[in-house]
Amino acid sequence: MAEDPQTPNADQIAYWNGPGGQRWVDRQQAQDEMLEPVSAILLDRAKPHPGERVIDVGCGCGATTRAFAEKVGAAGRVLGVDISAPMLQRARQVAPQNAPIEFRLADASVYPFKPGWYDLIVSRFGVMFFAEPAASFANLRKALRPGGRLTFVCWREARANPWLMAPLQAAYNHVPKLPEVGPEDPGPFSFASEARVHRILGKAGFSDTAMEACDLALDVAIGRGLDAAVESALQIGPTSRAIEGQPADIVAAVRKSIHEALAPFAKGQAVVLPASIWVVSAQNS
């Protein structure tokens, strides 16, 4: 699957099975800690019940899969689906033995899920990279029973997420800008538009779509100080892509600029920056 050039998500599959996915694996614990506030919101809004069957789309290293498995209990089941083999390998390593969890290396856009079997589909930032989102969600909807629910979180617009953009803007003092991404191209902010999300889910056959804006304050240092926050920005996200292949002196200059940009947000060992997400919910009517 990961090497099938015919899949519409071939570029994403290549990225998440290469250095991009490996960087997340290397920082699995740190990323899980930083995004815990987001996971908590997703869990609260999705309202999983004991005994329910859940699909976790783009489950990555499995933090949300484990959280939902705790809620559905032994009578339930959570299927974690991701296109990244290295991330799923880590997910299997850290999942508790005998938890009601199954991990599957698959593209959720085209995977033949058991029709009408699941109660709930969830995702923490795993759906914004679909090349053909309406078709992908239509495929997922087939897996839901009538009345089944969809709940996912995605980033709002870039300007509402300084935690990502402040380091990137600092890096742009020294490196070329990343290729411009259109508002409907796959990417972290591709679901920022309310109108677009409603259009995609409606086309996929979902009903009762609702979107809730949630503002957050993320500690990008996870309590480990300003230098840790700088290294996090250099290793994960758009800044890491912007400096890829750059010589050591340029990277050193970027590091210094990011340090200066993040310093005003430091409070003791925390470095807290604003972030903003949509919580999207819909039903299979």
Side-chain angles (χ1 to χ4, degrees), residues 105-256:
L105 180 65
D107 182 349
S109 297
V110 295
Y111 183 75
F113 296 100
K114 187 173 182 178
W117 200 71
Y118 292 89
D119 302 288
L120 174 64
I121 294 173
V122 298
S123 183
R124 187 191 72 184
F125 307 132
V127 298
M128 302 99 69
F129 299 93
F130 289 144
E132 298 173 2
S136 300
F137 278 107
N139 184 61
L140 286 165
R141 189 178 66 83
K142 293 176 190 174
L144 283 175
R145 62 168 176 80
R149 295 116 57 213
L150 168 72
T151 306
F152 66 85
V153 293
C154 56
W155 297 115
R156 297 181 70 209
E157 63 271 16
R159 67 176 178 271
N161 283 285
W163 80 277
L164 265 179
M165 300 310 295
L168 183 62
Q169 293 302 326
Y172 283 161
N173 291 322
H174 309 281
V175 299
K177 290 190 175 183
L178 292 167
E180 191 156 340
V181 177
E184 299 203 359
D185 292 336
F189 304 114
S190 68
F191 278 18
S193 163
E194 282 186 89
R196 182 173 190 241
V197 173
H198 278 273
R199 185 175 76 245
I200 287 168
L201 294 182
K203 189 174 180 181
F206 284 96
S207 62
D208 300 323
T209 298
M211 298 178 67
E212 174 193 0
C214 289
D215 293 328
L216 300 162
L218 295 181
D219 177 10
V220 296
I222 53 171
R224 299 174 189 175
L226 182 55
D227 287 342
V230 173
E231 290 309 310
S232 175
L234 292 170
Q235 293 173 22
I236 291 282
T239 303
S240 70
R241 293 194 290 278
I243 65 171
E244 200 165 339
Q246 293 291 333
D249 61 327
I250 296 295
V251 174
V254 168
R255 178 180 282 106
K256 184 174 184 293

Side-chain angles (χ1 to χ4, degrees), residues 3-4 9 13 17 20 38 92 98 112 123 128 172 229 235 258 282 284-285:
E3 297 176 354
D4 180 6
N9 297 308
I13 290 170
N17 283 280
V38 177
R92 293 185 179 104
N98 303 317
S123 183
M128 302 99 69
Y172 283 161
Q235 293 173 22
I258 293 175
N284 178 29
S285 54

